[in-house]
Amino acid sequence: MKEYSSRRLKVGSSDEAREALRGLNNEENNTGAMTCEDLPTKKSKHHAADKKKIVRRSKSYTDKDLSRYAKALRKTTTLEELNLGWNKITLLNKRFNQAISCNSTLKKIYLIGNEIGDRGIAKFADALKQNETLEVVGLSNNQISDKGVASVADALKTNRSIRKLYLSSNYIKAEGAKLLADALRVNASLQECWLNDNDISAQGAEAFADCLKVNQSLLQLHLWGNDVGDNGASFLASSLKFNRSLRMLCLSNNSIGNWGATSFSFALMVNQSIKELLLFDNEIPDEGAERLAKASVSNPSINNLDLSGNKISVDVLRVLESYDAIRV
């Protein structure tokens, strides 16, 4: 019987990056450290129009409170980032959505962990169709299903400013993934799509694979924890033979075994643009790991191959760690 290591094989990614990929959504990590004053009261000497960043998380704010922010968004000449994560916002405030649609300074908006749902996201998506400056939109953990994603996908077909879209930890299944993938066939501006901790399955992965054969602007695709399995991994691996833009693909925690790993080993022999392939916490055995290792050694573009938490024996782990070209 083979001995399996309980320790992790770390291949290139920092602890902070790995935690982000494990579901601590990136929009939360990047903005949580910095805070600033709330919007001014009538007695305040400060003006919202002078602020560049507003962070008001975990304040139990509802849509009623959004009216104040709507006023600031209409008047501001400097505000670039708004973080209203972990409140009780549904985005059904008409004034707020109207303000988003015409605002010309805001670049980042984070609404992680609210109660937006499908109705709220439909209203917000209409605003995104008109907004021309937002580059980062954080909508993770908001009870958004395929129905709501349809509105987001529709907005992506016309919006040309959004660069990063976070939709992790929602209720998105294969149909929602197909709608997003179809939108990315025509969208040439989105660079990062985060869909960690959803349920797109192999069918959703297939839709993204077909999209990647056409889309040449997406740089990062994050599909951690989506149950894509070997079938989904094989679809995505095949797409890398055609795609020349993707730099990072995260498929960790997806029940990927030997077949999926082998598919990627073949893809790495052709694709010369992918730099990071994250496959930690899967079911890859020795054979698949060794094939990936050999393929990555012959591929100069790969600088981060993460195979930790798989079914790799101690002996093979030692061999993998000896490969300088894998950059462990």
Side-chain angles (χ1 to χ4, degrees):
M1 180 178 295
K2 291 185 178 180
E3 178 186 0
Y4 292 97
S5 173
S6 59
R7 65 187 176 85
R8 308 189 67 76
L9 171 62
K10 296 181 180 179
V11 188
S13 51
S14 67
D15 290 339
E16 291 81 6
R18 291 171 62 79
E19 286 305 312
L21 290 169
R22 291 178 187 283
L24 300 177
N25 298 293
N26 197 52
E27 63 267 37
E28 179 73 3
N29 291 341
N30 285 345
T31 59
M34 185 180 295
T35 61
C36 66
E37 296 176 351
D38 195 3
L39 289 174
T41 62
K42 292 181 179 179
K43 296 181 180 180
S44 174
K45 295 181 181 180
H46 302 283
H47 298 283
D50 296 329
K51 294 181 180 295
K52 288 189 176 181
K53 182 175 182 177
I54 294 176
V55 181
R56 301 305 293 170
R57 303 182 320 180
S58 304
K59 298 296 181 181
S60 298
Y61 285 174
T62 64
D63 276 34
K64 183 178 180 180
D65 298 292
L66 289 182
S67 295
R68 291 190 299 158
Y69 292 94
K71 184 177 181 181
L73 288 169
R74 287 194 299 270
K75 294 184 176 181
T76 183
T77 57
T78 61
L79 186 63
E80 296 180 354
E81 180 173 336
L82 179 60
N83 186 333
L84 296 173
W86 302 107
N87 286 291
K88 297 180 179 179
I89 295 167
T90 65
L91 283 183
L92 293 175
N93 186 302
K94 185 176 181 179
R95 291 181 179 179
F96 182 79
N97 287 320
Q98 288 177 336
I100 290 292
S101 67
C102 62
N103 177 275
S104 60
T105 64
L106 199 63
K107 295 182 179 179
K108 302 177 182 180
I109 185 166
Y110 299 99
L111 297 164
I112 177 178
N114 278 284
E115 301 172 0
I116 295 173
D118 293 338
R119 288 183 61 205
I121 198 59
K123 301 293 185 182
F124 187 66
D126 285 340
L128 293 180
K129 292 178 182 179
Q130 300 179 57
N131 182 282
E132 298 179 350
T133 59
L134 271 173
E135 298 177 1
V136 182
V137 179
L139 296 167
S140 296
N141 207 331
N142 266 296
Q143 306 167 32
I144 299 170
S145 72
D146 291 349
K147 182 178 180 181
V149 166
S151 302
V152 177
D154 193 40
L156 287 176
K157 292 178 180 179
T158 56
N159 183 284
R160 292 295 179 266
S161 65
I162 298 175
R163 300 291 182 265
K164 300 180 182 180
L165 176 63
Y166 298 98
L167 284 166
S168 298
S169 300
N170 279 297
Y171 303 148
I172 302 169
K173 297 183 181 297
E175 185 56 36
K178 290 177 182 178
L179 293 170
L180 284 173
D182 285 344
L184 293 182
R185 286 175 173 270
V186 296
N187 180 292
S189 57
L190 192 70
Q191 297 177 351
E192 295 184 21
C193 184
W194 291 67
L195 285 169
N196 293 334
D197 190 29
N198 280 287
D199 189 21
I200 72 167
S201 72
Q203 290 180 309
E206 182 179 15
F208 273 108
D210 289 340
C211 160
L212 288 175
K213 294 175 182 178
V214 178
N215 181 289
Q216 295 298 324
S217 60
L218 195 66
L219 302 179
Q220 296 186 18
L221 179 58
H222 298 261
L223 299 175
W224 175 94
N226 269 281
D227 196 29
V228 306
D230 277 331
N231 283 337
S234 180
F235 290 135
L236 288 163
S238 295
S239 73
L240 294 185
K241 297 176 182 178
F242 302 91
N243 184 279
R244 294 294 179 268
S245 63
L246 198 67
R247 298 294 182 266
M248 172 189 279
L249 177 60
C250 176
L251 285 173
S252 300
N253 193 18
N254 267 296
S255 302
I256 297 170
N258 189 54
W259 178 25
T262 299
S263 297
F264 275 111
S265 71
F266 294 147
L268 292 180
M269 294 177 184
V270 178
N271 182 288
Q272 295 294 314
S273 59
I274 192 81
K275 295 182 180 298
E276 299 185 73
L277 180 58
L278 307 183
L279 296 170
F280 60 81
D281 291 346
N282 278 295
E283 299 174 5
I284 299 172
D286 288 352
E287 181 184 354
E290 289 176 321
R291 287 183 174 180
L292 276 169
K294 291 177 181 179
S296 66
V297 168
S298 62
N299 187 322
S301 65
I302 284 286
N303 58 35
N304 184 4
L305 174 64
D306 195 332
L307 297 176
S308 56
N310 280 282
K311 295 183 176 180
I312 304 171
S313 67
V314 172
D315 289 341
V316 173
L317 277 177
R318 293 194 185 104
V319 174
L320 293 180
E321 289 177 332
S322 70
Y323 276 80
D324 292 336
I326 303 178
R327 302 177 182 90
V328 293

